[in-house]
Amino acid sequence: MNQKVMDGVYLNILQTQQFKTIRFSVQLVAPATKETLTKRSLLASVLSASSQAYRDQVAIANQLQAMYGAGFNMNAYRQGQLAIFSISMRIVSPQYLRDTIDLQQQAIAFIGELLLKPDVIDQAFNAVTFDREKENLQRYIDSIADDKQTYAALKLRELYFTDQTQQTPNYGDADVLKTITATDLYTYYQQMIANDRIQMTVVGNVDEEKLALDLAQLSLAPRGEMLPGIFYQQAVSNAVRELTEEQAVQQGKLNMAYQLPAYFYQKDYYAALVMNALFGGTPLSLLFTNVREKASLAYYASSNIDAFRGAVMVQTGIESHQKERVLAIIEAQRQSIIAGDFTQAMFEQTKLALINQFKSSLDSPGYLGQQQFNQIFVPETELDAGRFTTAILAVSKQAVQEQAAKMQLQAIYFLKGVDTNEA
């Protein structure tokens, strides 16, 4: 149950003896913009590199090792219209330790040290650390152009979304990054710590009274709670947006974006899950078996649902001269689902694959923690394997057909090979 610690600060505890570890996470949530996504991505690198007590990553690694090899992660990402800055830590559950070390208190103090006591000089992040991490992020962004599969996926999203924020990748924008100084970032950091909604989540077997006392050492202050809804909804376009780029690549990339108004655990979500799994979301899917295996028209072919933004994305790697054939056969697979042209055995196997995937995910403290977080913004989020199984098994063939019919093609991005045998 989510407990209000103070205005804008919440604590959610999932008491379980399922794991031999305890997982702590602190997530700071704000409206997503191109600027906030970029600054938070850089902040995750800067804050995890050093602090007042731990001057470099060697000191951080030594402290983690001293805490029986504790796991630690800091990152920034986007869900729908929300920008989320997350710090998480995993420790051995104290009941499995032979000595009397207060590992829980140490772990929370470690989180507080890196999150709340940054390495700052004269109201700016340490210049050496800042410059290094900014350069590393810039190099990562530059390297995307060499990973053609990722590059094509990002170009499709840029083409599909009409909103500038939604076009921006999780790691942010290269042009915005260039303008950020160590002083700018520290000013933004102070605003984030003071104003963001804070959600703390703990998964494991814990003493709740002691946990509350240990968390109090973070010395958080009340803040406002105004946030947009998590779901992003985009108006349907009557025209398909198309973009073709030519590069010296051996393998063409043909990606497509459909709008599908089936959102995370909302109406039609389970039917959309099954439909996407049939379409291209599993190795049993029509795209995999018919486009890749039988027709040999693609090196890879798959689809995935963006359930926070109401979209289905298709990714394929093809011989460039096969573009029109691939487009036609992909649409033929969608039409097959609309017509109900798939066997009952395939239908049931697809459902079982989704159920097994969900059950497997429940064995991960990280997944459980994320689902707990999601439940704050989407109360219908499922955490129970029995209820999920019942909901998936209840999906009818007709419901799946209707979801395929609701898919509306909105964007096609094609990375075409030139100066190769495919050109």
Side-chain angles (χ1 to χ4, degrees):
M1 180 178 179
N2 206 35
Q3 310 165 27
K4 184 174 183 178
V5 178
M6 63 186 73
D7 287 347
V9 180
Y10 294 83
L11 170 62
N12 198 5
I13 302 173
L14 178 58
Q15 279 283 7
T16 177
Q17 297 185 27
Q18 181 180 355
F19 310 109
K20 293 183 178 181
T21 59
I22 298 174
R23 184 180 187 275
F24 306 92
S25 64
V26 180
Q27 288 157 305
L28 294 90
V29 188
T33 67
K34 183 166 69 172
E35 288 73 22
T36 60
L37 289 170
T38 310
K39 290 176 179 178
R40 292 160 98 88
S41 181
L42 182 55
L43 262 179
S45 298
V46 171
L47 291 179
S48 61
S50 65
S51 72
Q52 292 177 20
Y54 308 112
R55 307 303 295 186
D56 54 36
Q57 290 180 318
V58 173
I60 291 172
N62 288 340
Q63 179 60 25
L64 291 171
Q65 188 60 38
M67 291 188 287
Y68 295 88
F72 168 74
N73 184 54
M74 191 181 293
N75 68 324
Y77 61 98
R78 183 236 333 273
Q79 277 187 276
Q81 299 194 97
L82 302 180
I84 300 156
F85 185 94
S86 176
I87 178 170
S88 61
M89 194 162 187
R90 185 198 71 255
I91 62 169
V92 177
S93 187
Q95 69 194 69
Y96 296 103
L97 298 178
R98 291 184 178 180
D99 59 30
T100 57
I101 182 175
D102 192 342
L103 196 55
Q104 175 177 289
Q105 190 277 333
Q106 285 191 11
I108 293 172
F110 181 84
I111 290 173
E113 175 65 31
L114 267 69
L115 182 63
L116 302 175
K117 299 176 182 178
D119 187 2
V120 174
I121 302 171
D122 295 331
Q123 297 298 300
F125 283 109
N126 183 311
V128 174
T129 301
F130 173 84
D131 290 343
R132 181 184 67 238
E133 298 305 324
K134 181 178 177 178
E135 182 179 352
N136 287 343
L137 181 55
Q138 184 62 59
R139 285 178 178 172
Y140 171 74
I141 293 174
D142 293 341
S143 74
I144 295 295
D146 297 324
D147 181 347
K148 300 308 179 184
Q149 191 169 343
T150 301
Y151 175 81
L154 293 175
K155 295 297 286 188
L156 176 70
R157 282 160 174 75
E158 186 178 312
L159 183 64
Y160 169 71
F161 290 111
T162 56
D163 179 81
Q164 186 181 70
T165 295
Q166 299 304 323
Q167 292 173 348
T168 305
N170 280 350
Y171 56 72
D173 180 83
D175 290 334
V176 173
L177 179 63
K178 292 173 184 176
T179 68
I180 301 173
T181 66
T183 301
D184 295 335
L185 191 65
Y186 182 59
T187 299
Y188 176 75
Y189 159 81
Q190 292 176 301
Q191 294 169 353
M192 184 182 80
I193 294 296
N195 300 323
D196 276 20
R197 170 167 170 160
I198 294 180
Q199 180 66 51
M200 298 180 289
T201 304
V202 181
V203 178
N205 185 17
V206 295
D207 179 329
E208 295 191 19
E209 289 187 9
K210 183 180 185 307
L211 177 65
L213 291 174
D214 288 342
L215 287 171
Q217 68 183 297
L218 296 179
S219 301
L220 300 171
R223 70 272 322 285
E225 302 187 43
M226 295 298 294
L227 287 172
I230 193 169
F231 298 130
Y232 170 76
Q233 299 177 322
Q234 180 167 294
V236 177
S237 172
N238 293 325
V240 177
R241 292 183 286 278
E242 295 193 52
L243 175 64
T244 296
E245 285 190 274
E246 294 187 357
Q247 294 185 15
V249 294
Q250 291 294 323
Q251 188 184 108
K253 309 296 180 186
L254 179 62
N255 289 14
M256 306 159 69
Y258 298 82
Q259 185 172 104
L260 180 65
Y263 291 87
F264 193 69
Y265 288 101
Q266 303 301 290
K267 183 178 182 294
D268 297 329
Y269 176 68
Y270 291 102
L273 278 184
V274 178
M275 185 281 299
N276 179 67
L278 280 168
F279 183 52
T282 71
L284 300 171
S285 70
L286 296 176
L287 290 186
F288 188 89
T289 57
N290 292 338
V291 180
R292 181 183 182 275
E293 297 292 312
K294 292 181 182 178
S296 297
L297 285 175
Y299 300 101
Y300 63 86
S302 65
S303 67
N304 66 281
I305 290 183
D306 187 333
F308 290 98
R309 299 192 282 181
V312 174
M313 306 294 185
V314 173
Q315 309 84 34
T316 69
I318 67 171
E319 295 182 5
S320 292
H321 68 272
Q322 298 280 18
K323 175 193 173 185
E324 296 305 323
R325 287 187 64 196
V326 174
L327 284 173
I329 198 171
I330 289 173
E331 175 59 17
Q333 306 317 301
R334 188 177 76 92
Q335 291 298 328
S336 292
I337 298 177
I338 293 172
D341 187 15
F342 50 88
T343 67
Q344 187 64 28
M346 182 181 182
F347 190 44
E348 298 303 330
Q349 287 173 353
T350 299
K351 287 183 176 182
L352 289 176
L354 288 170
I355 291 167
N356 289 335
Q357 182 183 50
F358 183 80
K359 288 180 177 178
S360 176
S361 297
L362 295 181
D363 290 331
S364 163
Y367 179 82
L368 286 175
Q370 185 60 47
Q371 287 291 83
Q372 288 279 325
F373 173 81
N374 293 338
Q375 206 168 49
I376 305 306
F377 300 96
V378 186
E380 300 85 357
T381 299
E382 191 55 77
L383 282 163
D384 182 87
R387 290 195 297 267
F388 183 89
T389 298
T390 298
I392 289 291
L393 293 178
V395 172
S396 68
K397 191 172 183 177
Q398 180 182 351
V400 167
Q401 292 172 257
E402 290 173 352
Q403 289 304 300
K406 288 180 180 179
M407 290 172 61
Q408 298 188 67
L409 183 60
Q410 298 287 281
I412 300 172
Y413 173 77
F414 181 40
L415 179 60
K416 179 182 179 182
V418 296
D419 298 327
T420 72
N421 292 332
E422 295 180 8

